[in-house]
Amino acid sequence: MRKHPTELLGAHALGALEPGEAAAVEGHLRSCATCREELRSLAAIPALLDLTRLETTSAPLAVAPSTLEDRVLAGLDAPPHRRRRGPWRALRSAWLPGLGGAAAGAAATVAVLAAAGALGGSSAAPSRTVSLTGPAGAATAVLRAQDGGTRIDLQVDALPDTTGREVYEVWFVNAGGRVSAGTFTTGQADGRVRVALNTAAAPGGYDRIGVTREPDGLDPARNGPNILAAPLPE
Amino acid sequence: MVSSDAELVRALASRRGERAARSLYRAYGGELYGFACRRLGDTGLAEEVVQDVFTKAWHQASTYDEARGSVRTWLYAIARNAVTDAERRRGRRPPAAPPDPPDVASHDESIEHALLRWQVDLALERLTPDHRQVLRMGHFEGCSLAQIAERTGLPLGTVKSRVHYAMANLKLALQELEVTA
């Protein structure tokens, strides 16, 4: 073809040309970088289409209620901890005595390394390391800020195994409440586990990090006992 | 005055903050709500996620760095984590630790995959029904241009043109939504 078959490149990317037409387009492409580039920019589309079930009249995508805009705007100044409904709210006070301080005979030790990449992580973001302790075990948490939240690399040194639907849950805590940073289970016989939790929560504004043991990970009610805790320095 | 998205985010920390927040919500709130709805299957939770995302953006606006990525990418990163948090809140057990390869037989779709699928659906929604029709026939039904013409009763020239514009418009929509496969 002497003319650029621009109008056929989309069809070619879809494989919708007759064999003769396709061969002619291929022949042109061999000596035309412009059309090759154009085809390349279309070539990823079939694989993306495969992700969907394409209906001619697409099922309407959910539309946000018109009232949501004002509610979002009104809620912006709320402190960064999550407002939650539900039974666990009454348990906020369970955090204040007990672990996390010198009470209950559990020494909470803190080691903070604010150096960038101090533990050999590949990320360039500075990290903080916190040692959590409790009567039944210990863990080390490396907190690193990332786009959209925080990454927590948790090394659990000694915790009883979870069984059934039990999960351990990590929390950022302050006097106003707590926000979950993720859950994990342990299955190794010696209680050692490494997990990486990615959460939208950020430790700023919280003064403690803790771990509870929840009896049922599938139950939204959270009323498990405190297992580990440590102050979050700032 | 017309502001870029990055300028809006910078304005969040200033006296013009609320107006900037409203503009950003109008640009992205609907999309984020739709994504959260689809992923969580719960409009109440989806609304909480959207509130979460904009509240976090409000508080973390000073950490946004235009050189590292677009506002769209930044907000979706916050949303991705907020949706994951909402899933955990609801009680669904998350994968325990990343190093293990993903379970091929798992019914759980990774959130990254769900987000990609969402973005493609958003892009497709911006096409006309005629464009979606020829893409469906040309890709999913494996029709040639001639077969599309025969089935639709349209002239072959019209079909060629329509497929061309469907693909071109889809490419543009994917670019605008910053879809990277």
Side-chain angles (χ1 to χ4, degrees), chain A residues 6-11 13-18 21 38 41-42 44-65 67-73 75-80 82-85 146-151 162-167 169 179-185 193-202 216-222, chain B residues 17-19 21-22 25-26 29-30 33-34 37-38 44 46-48 50-52 54-56 58-60 63 68 73-74 77-78 80-82 84-85 88-99 113 116-118 120-122 124-125 128-130 132-136 138-140 142-148 156-157 160-161 163-165 167-168 170-171 174-175 179-181:
Chain A
T6 315
E7 209 186 46
L8 296 179
L9 292 177
L14 291 176
L17 294 180
E18 306 293 337
E21 269 182 325
E38 177 62 20
S41 73
L42 298 168
I45 288 178
L48 292 173
L49 287 175
D50 280 335
L51 298 174
T52 73
R53 287 176 297 274
L54 174 58
E55 307 297 332
T56 303
T57 48
S58 61
L61 304 178
V63 172
T67 55
L68 184 57
E69 178 174 328
D70 285 339
R71 275 184 282 134
V72 166
L73 269 294
L76 292 177
D77 270 327
R82 193 178 314 286
R83 295 167 303 281
R84 302 252 215 114
R85 296 177 290 277
Q146 62 183 9
D147 269 345
T150 311
R151 178 187 167 98
T162 50
T163 58
R165 304 220 288 234
E166 289 173 335
V167 296
E169 187 150 10
V179 63
S180 173
T183 64
F184 63 94
T185 59
V193 70
R194 292 189 75 103
V195 293
L197 302 172
N198 293 294
T199 176
D216 187 345
L218 294 180
D219 184 347
R222 290 297 200 237
Chain B
E18 184 178 312
R19 198 188 309 168
R22 196 175 287 277
Y25 175 85
R26 288 180 180 173
Y33 175 81
C37 254
R38 170 187 283 199
E47 289 184 20
E48 284 185 29
V50 173
Q51 287 182 296
D52 234 9
F54 284 94
T55 299
K56 290 195 161 69
W58 176 261
H59 287 284
Q60 297 169 17
T63 70
R68 287 215 316 267
T73 303
W74 182 65
I78 298 175
R80 204 181 56 227
N81 287 342
T84 306
D85 282 353
R88 288 197 201 105
R89 274 212 308 281
R90 191 173 53 184
R92 212 178 95 174
R93 258 161 98 148
H113 191 270
L116 181 60
R117 201 160 54 81
W118 167 252
V120 177
D121 276 338
L122 269 182
L124 287 168
E125 204 202 22
T128 64
D130 285 346
R132 282 197 294 272
Q133 180 191 39
V134 297
L135 288 179
R136 183 169 53 78
H139 178 72
F140 291 95
C143 294
S144 65
L145 295 177
Q147 286 170 327
I148 296 176
L156 181 60
K160 279 185 183 177
S161 173
V163 169
H164 165 69
Y165 283 109
M167 289 291 279
L170 181 55
K171 181 179 105 172
L174 291 168
Q175 278 175 351
V179 173
T180 45

Side-chain angles (χ1 to χ4, degrees), chain A:
Chain A
M1 282 179 191
R2 273 182 243 108
K3 261 179 49 177
H4 295 286
T6 315
E7 209 186 46
L8 296 179
L9 292 177
H12 190 47
L14 291 176
L17 294 180
E18 306 293 337
E21 269 182 325
V25 169
E26 285 292 322
H28 174 87
L29 291 173
R30 275 195 278 277
S31 56
C32 178
T34 310
C35 284
R36 271 201 307 273
E37 181 56 35
E38 177 62 20
L39 181 66
R40 213 186 47 80
S41 73
L42 298 168
I45 288 178
L48 292 173
L49 287 175
D50 280 335
L51 298 174
T52 73
R53 287 176 297 274
L54 174 58
E55 307 297 332
T56 303
T57 48
S58 61
L61 304 178
V63 172
S66 55
T67 55
L68 184 57
E69 178 174 328
D70 285 339
R71 275 184 282 134
V72 166
L73 269 294
L76 292 177
D77 270 327
H81 74 267
R82 193 178 314 286
R83 295 167 303 281
R84 302 252 215 114
R85 296 177 290 277
W88 77 264
R89 203 183 225 186
L91 300 173
R92 248 184 272 145
S93 59
W95 270 105
L96 300 177
L99 296 183
T109 62
V110 174
V112 177
L113 303 172
L119 289 185
S122 55
S123 163
S127 61
R128 292 187 289 165
T129 301
V130 180
S131 292
L132 296 94
T133 59
T140 307
V142 179
L143 283 69
R144 188 174 285 115
Q146 62 183 9
D147 269 345
T150 311
R151 178 187 167 98
I152 305 174
D153 283 285
L154 193 70
Q155 165 86 47
V156 174
D157 298 317
L159 276 183
D161 285 350
T162 50
T163 58
R165 304 220 288 234
E166 289 173 335
V167 296
Y168 288 110
E169 187 150 10
V170 180
W171 305 88
F172 295 136
V173 187
N174 63 24
R178 62 184 186 173
V179 63
S180 173
T183 64
F184 63 94
T185 59
T186 64
Q188 283 85 3
D190 63 0
R192 253 177 195 278
V193 70
R194 292 189 75 103
V195 293
L197 302 172
N198 293 294
T199 176
Y206 297 93
D207 51 39
R208 251 190 292 267
I209 181 172
V211 177
T212 59
R213 185 194 181 104
E214 303 296 333
D216 187 345
L218 294 180
D219 184 347
R222 290 297 200 237
N223 51 17
N226 308 335
I227 301 296
L228 301 175
L232 277 173
E234 181 56 63

